[in-house]
Amino acid sequence: MDFSALINSISTIACVLSVERLPDDKIGDLRIVAANKAYKDSMPPNYYDGMLYTELFPKERKFEHFVASSCLKRKQIHTYVEAKTIGKWMDQVYIPLESDRDDIGYCIFSYELTENADPERMGNISHDTATSVIKSCAVFRTAENFHTAASEVVQELFEKCEADRVRVVSVDELTQGLKYIAGKAKNGFDDQDQGVDKIPPEVVKTWNKTIEQTNCLIITDEADMKNLEDRNPEWAKSLQEAGVKSICFVPLFQNNNIIGYLYVTNFDTSRTIEIKELLEHTSFFLAAELANNNLMEKMRELSNLDTLTGVFNRNAMNIRVDEFVSKAELRLRPYGVIFIDLNGLKFINDKYGHEAGDQMLWSAASIISEIFGDDEIYRAGGDEFTIICTKLSEDVFLDKVRRLREKTAYPSEITMSIGYHYSGSGDDIRIAMRNADLAMYKDKEEFYQEHPELRGRKI
């Protein structure tokens, strides 16, 4: 068929593409059959009519899927995507054409380039997608917290995509490890503990490299999976072992950095374009909400952590004590409180400087964490630490106190004065803390009586 007159009548950059229909609905060669002057002018000098598209561009399975859907399934498609290989955004239109052959399909492919993302073009989506996205936006504005909202949005996507699984994960900025955010599976629950938190950071880093030239990963058939195998065999293997036959995998961006992923698996591949559109547009505001939540968590962490030692600070301790006072379920269960004061910190500061004193505090926190790592450790101020234990029987609690005394007894490099109180019947925590504090000062007085040369301040 001669498409020259048709394609030359189009003023925007355009060409006619053809796709071979192979047995079992697989696709064969994808060729650029004819192109108008605007298209040819934008191509390298080696362009010629009838060439394989891979002679000009790297193989792109997502592009092939769009072309095949238009050529062979008679779908008219509009999409606005980031063309990372050229650093621009591409407003694409695919229009199916009549074919005189059963084994070949044709479509017009036309596009316009924009330097940056155009919100107006991005908003040109189907009514169903727009409704779902707006609903999800409203969820984030009305939900009690981020995780509740994320779960509701995942539920909406799960119902719309009719997939086996929908999941949102975040990527830790420092470790590049994954953190589970929300998920929904066909069996009624999402086994978040299987796979997500245990995927090594070095594997996660390969995902970004694999999809760096596109804005998402789409696998709809064996050919797509084989293409992934060639680029990232370990990822393809993990998907196959998990029983994944199709996936739409969309990164969540903040300032061009990937902060998470949204993906669906084993969906109706006849709806791939619709599902891709829904996930990509949902990802825009989901990424913004995730970034905001990450910032809030970091601020909460900074406000509740002691930056020198890494344990909780006095502010966090005060909040926790208020919880014990106000919540009956905390008041009525057994707990233990330990007060710790380092011996000789002022002596170290005066003789060796505050850097040595800081090292002493850090080392002390490390020793405490080694024994009480599963409990709540607070730096109450200066050289004082407080531990609240809510999960220990009295025998285990006392055994931990004994181990801490043995590890920090003189002449250890780090020595501590220790006082404690265990409540088996739910005493007022303020009374328990006072008792532990008095016991600690008694222990300190006895220590300095034995070692007056280390006395750094009046007791």
Side-chain angles (χ1 to χ4, degrees):
M1 297 178 67
D2 184 6
F3 294 107
S4 299
L6 171 64
I7 203 64
N8 284 320
S9 68
I10 300 175
S11 58
T12 58
I13 298 174
C15 66
V16 173
L17 302 173
S18 70
V19 175
E20 280 187 294
R21 186 197 304 272
L22 301 179
D24 299 325
D25 286 331
K26 295 181 180 179
I27 63 173
D29 290 342
L30 192 160
R31 296 182 180 274
I32 307 171
V33 178
N36 64 7
K37 185 177 184 303
Y39 188 92
K40 292 177 181 178
D41 289 345
S42 67
M43 291 296 113
N46 63 324
Y47 171 82
Y48 63 92
D49 286 349
M51 69 189 306
L52 292 170
Y53 90 96
T54 49
E55 296 179 58
L56 292 175
F57 309 104
K59 189 178 182 65
E60 173 54 68
R61 289 296 298 174
K62 186 169 58 177
F63 171 69
E64 291 182 0
H65 180 82
F66 284 160
V67 175
S69 296
S70 182
C71 292
L72 303 178
K73 298 182 180 180
R74 320 291 296 162
K75 291 185 177 181
Q76 181 168 315
I77 301 168
H78 170 259
T79 184
Y80 186 56
V81 298
E82 184 179 10
K84 292 190 175 182
T85 53
I86 59 176
K88 297 184 179 181
W89 284 75
M90 185 176 286
D91 196 339
Q92 301 176 343
V93 176
Y94 302 79
I95 301 174
L97 297 173
E98 290 293 335
S99 174
D100 56 356
R101 296 175 54 175
D102 293 335
D103 61 335
I104 297 287
Y106 299 93
C107 76
I108 293 174
F109 172 58
S110 176
Y111 66 88
E112 292 183 57
L113 297 175
T114 61
E115 292 293 333
N116 300 301
D118 183 344
E120 185 172 342
R121 293 175 190 257
M122 294 175 74
N124 187 11
I125 56 179
S126 68
H127 178 268
D128 285 346
T129 296
T131 300
S132 183
V133 170
I134 291 172
K135 179 180 177 181
S136 296
C137 287
V139 166
F140 273 103
R141 290 294 165 265
T142 57
E144 292 183 359
N145 57 63
F146 169 77
H147 287 278
T148 299
S151 295
E152 290 188 37
V153 169
V154 163
Q155 177 67 36
E156 170 76 7
L157 293 175
F158 181 76
E159 294 173 0
K160 289 286 185 180
C161 296
E162 298 179 316
D164 278 2
R165 185 184 305 279
V166 179
R167 184 178 279 171
V168 179
V169 296
S170 66
V171 178
D172 185 271
E173 183 180 0
L174 296 177
T175 68
Q176 290 298 296
L178 295 181
K179 179 182 178 183
Y180 176 86
I181 299 297
K184 178 71 176 179
K186 208 167 188 177
N187 56 12
F189 65 93
D190 187 41
D191 49 349
Q192 64 219 51
D193 293 330
Q194 295 186 18
V196 173
D197 301 330
K198 299 172 185 175
I199 297 175
E202 56 269 22
V203 174
V204 177
K205 291 178 183 178
T206 69
W207 297 354
N208 184 21
K209 187 175 181 180
T210 301
I211 61 177
E212 63 185 356
Q213 298 302 324
T214 182
N215 57 342
C216 71
L217 170 73
I218 296 178
I219 292 176
T220 62
D221 54 29
E222 293 179 1
D224 290 338
M225 188 66 78
K226 179 62 172 64
N227 182 261
L228 179 62
E229 281 182 7
D230 295 338
R231 294 182 292 156
N232 192 331
E234 288 299 318
W235 194 4
K237 180 181 178 182
S238 67
L239 291 176
Q240 291 168 331
E241 289 177 347
V244 174
K245 292 181 170 50
S246 62
I247 186 171
C248 185
F249 190 90
V250 180
L252 306 177
F253 286 100
Q254 180 198 24
N255 299 329
N256 293 321
N257 295 317
I258 293 179
I259 60 171
Y261 295 99
L262 164 65
Y263 60 92
V264 302
T265 60
N266 295 343
F267 54 90
D268 181 357
T269 55
S270 68
R271 298 175 55 219
T272 298
I273 295 173
E274 172 191 344
I275 289 172
K276 171 185 176 292
E277 180 184 70
L278 175 58
L279 262 62
E280 284 186 338
H281 283 78
T282 301
S283 74
F284 296 142
F285 75 85
L286 183 55
E289 295 291 344
L290 176 58
N292 182 65
N293 182 71
N294 288 346
L295 177 61
M296 295 301 295
E297 285 189 347
K298 187 173 294 185
M299 291 175 64
R300 282 193 293 268
E301 181 178 297
L302 291 174
S303 68
N304 289 316
L305 284 184
D306 177 59
T307 55
L308 174 62
T309 62
V311 301
F312 292 117
N313 61 19
R314 188 176 188 87
N315 178 61
M317 185 182 76
N318 290 338
I319 292 173
R320 186 60 164 152
V321 170
D322 288 343
E323 287 181 345
F324 266 87
V325 173
S326 62
K327 295 181 180 179
E329 65 269 22
L330 290 176
R331 292 198 306 272
L332 298 178
R333 67 183 182 184
Y335 64 86
V337 175
I338 304 168
F339 270 45
I340 298 169
D341 196 292
L342 303 190
N343 296 325
L345 178 63
K346 188 176 188 304
F347 175 82
I348 294 294
N349 280 332
D350 292 344
K351 187 171 183 177
Y352 301 107
H354 286 280
E355 185 174 341
D358 288 348
Q359 177 63 41
M360 184 179 180
L361 286 165
W362 185 88
S363 299
S366 298
I367 293 171
I368 296 170
S369 297
E370 183 181 328
I371 298 174
F372 290 92
D374 294 331
D375 302 296
E376 303 168 24
I377 305 170
Y378 305 88
R379 183 183 174 197
D383 55 359
E384 299 174 355
F385 292 85
T386 300
I387 308 172
I388 299 177
C389 306
T390 60
K391 305 173 184 177
L392 306 179
S393 66
E394 185 171 9
D395 288 343
V396 175
F397 173 78
L398 294 175
D399 182 63
K400 283 192 172 188
V401 173
R402 177 190 58 77
R403 287 164 53 198
L404 183 62
R405 283 192 183 280
E406 290 177 353
K407 198 171 185 65
T408 61
Y410 190 81
S412 299
E413 186 174 339
I414 306 292
T415 63
M416 302 177 181
S417 296
I418 301 170
Y420 62 88
H421 179 92
Y422 188 86
S423 169
S425 57
D427 299 328
D428 188 321
I429 193 170
R430 293 166 294 188
I431 296 175
M433 294 177 78
R434 176 171 174 76
N435 291 338
D437 192 37
L438 291 172
M440 183 271 294
Y441 272 102
K442 181 180 179 182
D443 191 49
K444 178 172 285 290
E445 184 63 36
E446 292 174 356
F447 175 83
Y448 282 129
Q449 286 177 358
E450 292 182 20
H451 307 284
E453 73 280 5
L454 296 178
R455 182 182 291 273
R457 56 188 172 89
K458 186 177 180 180
I459 302 299

PDB file of all heavy atoms in Angstrom, residues 328-351:
ATOM      1  N   ALA A 328      -4.894   3.979  80.236  1.00  0.00           N
ATOM      2  CA  ALA A 328      -5.048   2.933  81.254  1.00  0.00           C
ATOM      3  C   ALA A 328      -4.336   1.649  80.853  1.00  0.00           C
ATOM      4  O   ALA A 328      -3.776   0.950  81.700  1.00  0.00           O
ATOM      5  CB  ALA A 328      -6.535   2.656  81.483  1.00  0.00           C
ATOM      6  N   GLU A 329      -4.346   1.324  79.554  1.00  0.00           N
ATOM      7  CA  GLU A 329      -3.737   0.059  79.137  1.00  0.00           C
ATOM      8  C   GLU A 329      -2.234   0.047  79.386  1.00  0.00           C
ATOM      9  O   GLU A 329      -1.621  -1.015  79.518  1.00  0.00           O
ATOM     10  CB  GLU A 329      -4.021  -0.218  77.655  1.00  0.00           C
ATOM     11  CG  GLU A 329      -3.408   0.766  76.668  1.00  0.00           C
ATOM     12  CD  GLU A 329      -4.345   1.927  76.352  1.00  0.00           C
ATOM     13  OE1 GLU A 329      -5.245   2.188  77.166  1.00  0.00           O
ATOM     14  OE2 GLU A 329      -4.178   2.539  75.297  1.00  0.00           O
ATOM     15  N   LEU A 330      -1.606   1.235  79.459  1.00  0.00           N
ATOM     16  CA  LEU A 330      -0.184   1.303  79.796  1.00  0.00           C
ATOM     17  C   LEU A 330       0.014   1.281  81.308  1.00  0.00           C
ATOM     18  O   LEU A 330       0.944   0.648  81.820  1.00  0.00           O
ATOM     19  CB  LEU A 330       0.445   2.569  79.201  1.00  0.00           C
ATOM     20  CG  LEU A 330       0.585   2.609  77.679  1.00  0.00           C
ATOM     21  CD1 LEU A 330       1.138   3.965  77.221  1.00  0.00           C
ATOM     22  CD2 LEU A 330       1.490   1.492  77.190  1.00  0.00           C
ATOM     23  N   ARG A 331      -0.848   1.970  82.036  1.00  0.00           N
ATOM     24  CA  ARG A 331      -0.710   2.057  83.495  1.00  0.00           C
ATOM     25  C   ARG A 331      -0.888   0.702  84.167  1.00  0.00           C
ATOM     26  O   ARG A 331      -0.295   0.433  85.208  1.00  0.00           O
ATOM     27  CB  ARG A 331      -1.741   3.026  84.074  1.00  0.00           C
ATOM     28  CG  ARG A 331      -1.534   4.477  83.701  1.00  0.00           C
ATOM     29  CD  ARG A 331      -2.301   5.391  84.651  1.00  0.00           C
ATOM     30  NE  ARG A 331      -3.710   5.053  84.735  1.00  0.00           N
ATOM     31  CZ  ARG A 331      -4.647   5.549  83.916  1.00  0.00           C
ATOM     32  NH1 ARG A 331      -4.298   6.374  82.952  1.00  0.00           N
ATOM     33  NH2 ARG A 331      -5.914   5.204  84.058  1.00  0.00           N
ATOM     34  N   LEU A 332      -1.718  -0.157  83.601  1.00  0.00           N
ATOM     35  CA  LEU A 332      -2.128  -1.379  84.298  1.00  0.00           C
ATOM     36  C   LEU A 332      -1.279  -2.590  83.968  1.00  0.00           C
ATOM     37  O   LEU A 332      -1.545  -3.681  84.469  1.00  0.00           O
ATOM     38  CB  LEU A 332      -3.596  -1.679  83.974  1.00  0.00           C
ATOM     39  CG  LEU A 332      -4.598  -0.602  84.437  1.00  0.00           C
ATOM     40  CD1 LEU A 332      -6.008  -0.982  84.030  1.00  0.00           C
ATOM     41  CD2 LEU A 332      -4.501  -0.397  85.951  1.00  0.00           C
ATOM     42  N   ARG A 333      -0.262  -2.429  83.115  1.00  0.00           N
ATOM     43  CA  ARG A 333       0.557  -3.590  82.810  1.00  0.00           C
ATOM     44  C   ARG A 333       1.945  -3.433  83.431  1.00  0.00           C
ATOM     45  O   ARG A 333       2.411  -2.324  83.670  1.00  0.00           O
ATOM     46  CB  ARG A 333       0.678  -3.787  81.299  1.00  0.00           C
ATOM     47  CG  ARG A 333       1.455  -2.720  80.568  1.00  0.00           C
ATOM     48  CD  ARG A 333       1.430  -3.002  79.072  1.00  0.00           C
ATOM     49  NE  ARG A 333       2.200  -2.027  78.312  1.00  0.00           N
ATOM     50  CZ  ARG A 333       2.255  -2.027  77.000  1.00  0.00           C
ATOM     51  NH1 ARG A 333       1.568  -2.925  76.316  1.00  0.00           N
ATOM     52  NH2 ARG A 333       2.982  -1.118  76.368  1.00  0.00           N
ATOM     53  N   PRO A 334       2.631  -4.552  83.700  1.00  0.00           N
ATOM     54  CA  PRO A 334       3.954  -4.480  84.333  1.00  0.00           C
ATOM     55  C   PRO A 334       4.962  -3.741  83.454  1.00  0.00           C
ATOM     56  O   PRO A 334       4.913  -3.812  82.230  1.00  0.00           O
ATOM     57  CB  PRO A 334       4.342  -5.956  84.498  1.00  0.00           C
ATOM     58  CG  PRO A 334       3.053  -6.701  84.443  1.00  0.00           C
ATOM     59  CD  PRO A 334       2.175  -5.948  83.504  1.00  0.00           C
ATOM     60  N   TYR A 335       5.874  -3.041  84.083  1.00  0.00           N
ATOM     61  CA  TYR A 335       6.937  -2.358  83.352  1.00  0.00           C
ATOM     62  C   TYR A 335       8.093  -2.101  84.306  1.00  0.00           C
ATOM     63  O   TYR A 335       7.949  -2.162  85.543  1.00  0.00           O
ATOM     64  CB  TYR A 335       6.438  -1.045  82.755  1.00  0.00           C
ATOM     65  CG  TYR A 335       6.020  -0.015  83.777  1.00  0.00           C
ATOM     66  CD1 TYR A 335       6.951   0.859  84.339  1.00  0.00           C
ATOM     67  CD2 TYR A 335       4.691   0.069  84.208  1.00  0.00           C
ATOM     68  CE1 TYR A 335       6.562   1.788  85.297  1.00  0.00           C
ATOM     69  CE2 TYR A 335       4.308   0.998  85.162  1.00  0.00           C
ATOM     70  CZ  TYR A 335       5.246   1.853  85.698  1.00  0.00           C
ATOM     71  OH  TYR A 335       4.880   2.760  86.655  1.00  0.00           O
ATOM     72  N   GLY A 336       9.251  -1.828  83.741  1.00  0.00           N
ATOM     73  CA  GLY A 336      10.421  -1.498  84.537  1.00  0.00           C
ATOM     74  C   GLY A 336      11.030  -0.191  84.064  1.00  0.00           C
ATOM     75  O   GLY A 336      10.960   0.151  82.884  1.00  0.00           O
ATOM     76  N   VAL A 337      11.596   0.564  85.002  1.00  0.00           N
ATOM     77  CA  VAL A 337      12.241   1.837  84.688  1.00  0.00           C
ATOM     78  C   VAL A 337      13.669   1.800  85.238  1.00  0.00           C
ATOM     79  O   VAL A 337      13.892   1.346  86.368  1.00  0.00           O
ATOM     80  CB  VAL A 337      11.482   3.028  85.303  1.00  0.00           C
ATOM     81  CG1 VAL A 337      12.242   4.334  85.053  1.00  0.00           C
ATOM     82  CG2 VAL A 337      10.078   3.126  84.734  1.00  0.00           C
ATOM     83  N   ILE A 338      14.616   2.280  84.438  1.00  0.00           N
ATOM     84  CA  ILE A 338      16.021   2.330  84.855  1.00  0.00           C
ATOM     85  C   ILE A 338      16.547   3.746  84.642  1.00  0.00           C
ATOM     86  O   ILE A 338      16.346   4.331  83.572  1.00  0.00           O
ATOM     87  CB  ILE A 338      16.879   1.339  84.054  1.00  0.00           C
ATOM     88  CG1 ILE A 338      16.318  -0.081  84.167  1.00  0.00           C
ATOM     89  CG2 ILE A 338      18.338   1.384  84.506  1.00  0.00           C
ATOM     90  CD1 ILE A 338      16.934  -1.058  83.192  1.00  0.00           C
ATOM     91  N   PHE A 339      17.200   4.280  85.648  1.00  0.00           N
ATOM     92  CA  PHE A 339      17.887   5.567  85.526  1.00  0.00           C
ATOM     93  C   PHE A 339      19.396   5.310  85.549  1.00  0.00           C
ATOM     94  O   PHE A 339      19.892   4.538  86.387  1.00  0.00           O
ATOM     95  CB  PHE A 339      17.505   6.505  86.680  1.00  0.00           C
ATOM     96  CG  PHE A 339      16.309   7.359  86.373  1.00  0.00           C
ATOM     97  CD1 PHE A 339      15.178   6.833  85.790  1.00  0.00           C
ATOM     98  CD2 PHE A 339      16.318   8.714  86.667  1.00  0.00           C
ATOM     99  CE1 PHE A 339      14.080   7.612  85.509  1.00  0.00           C
ATOM    100  CE2 PHE A 339      15.223   9.518  86.390  1.00  0.00           C
ATOM    101  CZ  PHE A 339      14.092   8.964  85.804  1.00  0.00           C
ATOM    102  N   ILE A 340      20.119   5.957  84.638  1.00  0.00           N
ATOM    103  CA  ILE A 340      21.563   5.761  84.504  1.00  0.00           C
ATOM    104  C   ILE A 340      22.250   7.122  84.480  1.00  0.00           C
ATOM    105  O   ILE A 340      21.779   8.049  83.805  1.00  0.00           O
ATOM    106  CB  ILE A 340      21.897   4.985  83.213  1.00  0.00           C
ATOM    107  CG1 ILE A 340      21.263   3.591  83.238  1.00  0.00           C
ATOM    108  CG2 ILE A 340      23.408   4.905  83.007  1.00  0.00           C
ATOM    109  CD1 ILE A 340      21.323   2.879  81.901  1.00  0.00           C
ATOM    110  N   ASP A 341      23.347   7.224  85.196  1.00  0.00           N
ATOM    111  CA  ASP A 341      24.156   8.442  85.155  1.00  0.00           C
ATOM    112  C   ASP A 341      25.611   8.011  84.984  1.00  0.00           C
ATOM    113  O   ASP A 341      26.095   7.145  85.732  1.00  0.00           O
ATOM    114  CB  ASP A 341      23.993   9.240  86.448  1.00  0.00           C
ATOM    115  CG  ASP A 341      24.489  10.676  86.292  1.00  0.00           C
ATOM    116  OD1 ASP A 341      25.713  10.865  86.136  1.00  0.00           O
ATOM    117  OD2 ASP A 341      23.658  11.590  86.328  1.00  0.00           O
ATOM    118  N   LEU A 342      26.289   8.563  83.984  1.00  0.00           N
ATOM    119  CA  LEU A 342      27.681   8.188  83.749  1.00  0.00           C
ATOM    120  C   LEU A 342      28.566   8.725  84.864  1.00  0.00           C
ATOM    121  O   LEU A 342      28.355   9.825  85.370  1.00  0.00           O
ATOM    122  CB  LEU A 342      28.164   8.733  82.413  1.00  0.00           C
ATOM    123  CG  LEU A 342      27.380   8.329  81.158  1.00  0.00           C
ATOM    124  CD1 LEU A 342      28.150   8.754  79.915  1.00  0.00           C
ATOM    125  CD2 LEU A 342      27.118   6.836  81.133  1.00  0.00           C
ATOM    126  N   ASN A 343      29.565   7.968  85.223  1.00  0.00           N
ATOM    127  CA  ASN A 343      30.528   8.380  86.236  1.00  0.00           C
ATOM    128  C   ASN A 343      31.757   8.982  85.551  1.00  0.00           C
ATOM    129  O   ASN A 343      32.341   8.360  84.660  1.00  0.00           O
ATOM    130  CB  ASN A 343      30.951   7.187  87.098  1.00  0.00           C
ATOM    131  CG  ASN A 343      29.790   6.615  87.883  1.00  0.00           C
ATOM    132  OD1 ASN A 343      28.908   7.361  88.324  1.00  0.00           O
ATOM    133  ND2 ASN A 343      29.771   5.308  88.052  1.00  0.00           N
ATOM    134  N   GLY A 344      32.107  10.182  85.970  1.00  0.00           N
ATOM    135  CA  GLY A 344      33.350  10.775  85.503  1.00  0.00           C
ATOM    136  C   GLY A 344      33.286  11.520  84.198  1.00  0.00           C
ATOM    137  O   GLY A 344      34.325  11.822  83.609  1.00  0.00           O
ATOM    138  N   LEU A 345      32.086  11.859  83.696  1.00  0.00           N
ATOM    139  CA  LEU A 345      32.024  12.571  82.420  1.00  0.00           C
ATOM    140  C   LEU A 345      32.674  13.949  82.533  1.00  0.00           C
ATOM    141  O   LEU A 345      33.416  14.362  81.642  1.00  0.00           O
ATOM    142  CB  LEU A 345      30.569  12.707  81.946  1.00  0.00           C
ATOM    143  CG  LEU A 345      30.389  13.483  80.636  1.00  0.00           C
ATOM    144  CD1 LEU A 345      31.068  12.762  79.478  1.00  0.00           C
ATOM    145  CD2 LEU A 345      28.906  13.686  80.315  1.00  0.00           C
ATOM    146  N   LYS A 346      32.419  14.663  83.651  1.00  0.00           N
ATOM    147  CA  LYS A 346      33.025  15.995  83.803  1.00  0.00           C
ATOM    148  C   LYS A 346      34.545  15.888  83.881  1.00  0.00           C
ATOM    149  O   LYS A 346      35.277  16.713  83.320  1.00  0.00           O
ATOM    150  CB  LYS A 346      32.484  16.695  85.053  1.00  0.00           C
ATOM    151  CG  LYS A 346      32.930  18.155  85.172  1.00  0.00           C
ATOM    152  CD  LYS A 346      32.296  18.836  86.350  1.00  0.00           C
ATOM    153  CE  LYS A 346      32.607  20.328  86.341  1.00  0.00           C
ATOM    154  NZ  LYS A 346      34.056  20.622  86.299  1.00  0.00           N
ATOM    155  N   PHE A 347      35.024  14.849  84.524  1.00  0.00           N
ATOM    156  CA  PHE A 347      36.464  14.609  84.605  1.00  0.00           C
ATOM    157  C   PHE A 347      37.048  14.441  83.197  1.00  0.00           C
ATOM    158  O   PHE A 347      38.103  15.001  82.875  1.00  0.00           O
ATOM    159  CB  PHE A 347      36.710  13.367  85.461  1.00  0.00           C
ATOM    160  CG  PHE A 347      38.145  12.938  85.529  1.00  0.00           C
ATOM    161  CD1 PHE A 347      39.022  13.537  86.414  1.00  0.00           C
ATOM    162  CD2 PHE A 347      38.626  11.940  84.694  1.00  0.00           C
ATOM    163  CE1 PHE A 347      40.356  13.143  86.478  1.00  0.00           C
ATOM    164  CE2 PHE A 347      39.945  11.549  84.750  1.00  0.00           C
ATOM    165  CZ  PHE A 347      40.816  12.149  85.641  1.00  0.00           C
ATOM    166  N   ILE A 348      36.358  13.662  82.358  1.00  0.00           N
ATOM    167  CA  ILE A 348      36.825  13.443  80.974  1.00  0.00           C
ATOM    168  C   ILE A 348      36.776  14.739  80.181  1.00  0.00           C
ATOM    169  O   ILE A 348      37.717  15.083  79.450  1.00  0.00           O
ATOM    170  CB  ILE A 348      35.970  12.359  80.289  1.00  0.00           C
ATOM    171  CG1 ILE A 348      36.178  11.009  80.967  1.00  0.00           C
ATOM    172  CG2 ILE A 348      36.281  12.269  78.802  1.00  0.00           C
ATOM    173  CD1 ILE A 348      37.577  10.447  80.824  1.00  0.00           C
ATOM    174  N   ASN A 349      35.667  15.478  80.319  1.00  0.00           N
ATOM    175  CA  ASN A 349      35.534  16.746  79.588  1.00  0.00           C
ATOM    176  C   ASN A 349      36.640  17.727  79.976  1.00  0.00           C
ATOM    177  O   ASN A 349      37.241  18.384  79.121  1.00  0.00           O
ATOM    178  CB  ASN A 349      34.167  17.374  79.864  1.00  0.00           C
ATOM    179  CG  ASN A 349      33.063  16.759  79.031  1.00  0.00           C
ATOM    180  OD1 ASN A 349      33.310  16.259  77.935  1.00  0.00           O
ATOM    181  ND2 ASN A 349      31.842  16.793  79.532  1.00  0.00           N
ATOM    182  N   ASP A 350      36.902  17.840  81.300  1.00  0.00           N
ATOM    183  CA  ASP A 350      37.888  18.804  81.769  1.00  0.00           C
ATOM    184  C   ASP A 350      39.307  18.410  81.363  1.00  0.00           C
ATOM    185  O   ASP A 350      40.137  19.276  81.035  1.00  0.00           O
ATOM    186  CB  ASP A 350      37.816  18.936  83.299  1.00  0.00           C
ATOM    187  CG  ASP A 350      36.518  19.592  83.764  1.00  0.00           C
ATOM    188  OD1 ASP A 350      35.840  20.196  82.907  1.00  0.00           O
ATOM    189  OD2 ASP A 350      36.186  19.486  84.961  1.00  0.00           O
ATOM    190  N   LYS A 351      39.605  17.105  81.366  1.00  0.00           N
ATOM    191  CA  LYS A 351      40.975  16.659  81.111  1.00  0.00           C
ATOM    192  C   LYS A 351      41.271  16.475  79.630  1.00  0.00           C
ATOM    193  O   LYS A 351      42.378  16.801  79.155  1.00  0.00           O
ATOM    194  CB  LYS A 351      41.240  15.353  81.873  1.00  0.00           C
ATOM    195  CG  LYS A 351      42.700  14.915  81.791  1.00  0.00           C
ATOM    196  CD  LYS A 351      42.980  13.755  82.732  1.00  0.00           C
ATOM    197  CE  LYS A 351      44.475  13.390  82.685  1.00  0.00           C
ATOM    198  NZ  LYS A 351      44.814  12.309  83.627  1.00  0.00           N
TER     199      LYS A 351
END
